[in-house]
Amino acid sequence: QLQLVESGGGLVQPGGSLRLSCVASGFSLDNYVIGWFRQAPGKGREAFLCITSSGLSTTYGDSVEGRFITSRDNAMNTVYLQMASLRPEDTAVYYCAAVPSRYGCYEHWNEYDVWGQGTQVTVSS
């Protein structure tokens, strides 16, 4: 089966850092775009980053600008999300999602075919 397995979430204090991993199983990430989404309780699913098959990233909105970086290691079939300067408002379930590359990046959740299971990130003192 095609799947993405996420790990790395947890509880972190404000100002702290966390690194999420998104590992593809059953397929190669080489030709896939990876989107990052998050969903806080009672809120919609928010796109905040995307990375193309060639490693070019796009940030959506201003909420994570300068704080979150996504990268990929195709040899390891893994995409990473490095989160720094975390804030309480970053608390959410974080998802990675994949879709075969057609053009640049994709912002909307319904563009993606394969989803990670989600990992909880809680930023609290």
Side-chain angles (χ1 to χ4, degrees):
Q1 292 185 348
L2 308 183
Q3 59 181 315
L4 297 171
V5 180
E6 298 181 55
S7 62
L11 176 65
V12 64
Q13 293 185 331
S17 298
L18 213 56
R19 189 190 196 193
L20 306 185
S21 297
C22 178
V23 182
S25 296
F27 69 104
S28 174
L29 283 179
D30 289 356
N31 297 312
Y32 280 75
V33 167
I34 301 296
W36 288 99
F37 298 80
R38 63 186 184 180
Q39 188 166 22
K43 305 295 183 181
R45 190 165 298 183
E46 173 196 13
F48 60 90
L49 273 174
C50 178
I51 184 166
T52 69
S53 59
S54 63
L56 183 65
S57 64
T58 297
T59 303
Y60 301 109
D62 299 323
S63 61
V64 308
E65 181 67 36
R67 300 188 299 120
F68 291 9
I69 298 172
T70 186
S71 61
R72 63 193 301 152
D73 185 343
N74 287 343
M76 297 298 294
N77 224 22
T78 301
V79 174
Y80 301 98
L81 177 65
Q82 181 66 53
M83 302 182 290
S85 302
L86 284 162
R87 306 164 180 168
E89 55 263 40
D90 294 320
T91 296
V93 177
Y94 283 70
Y95 299 91
C96 59
V99 63
S101 181
R102 299 186 294 271
Y103 55 90
C105 264
Y106 314 110
E107 181 177 2
H108 300 291
W109 64 268
N110 60 5
E111 298 275 10
Y112 291 85
D113 298 324
V114 187
W115 286 81
Q117 81 280 10
T119 185
Q120 176 72 44
V121 173
T122 302
V123 185
S124 176
S125 60

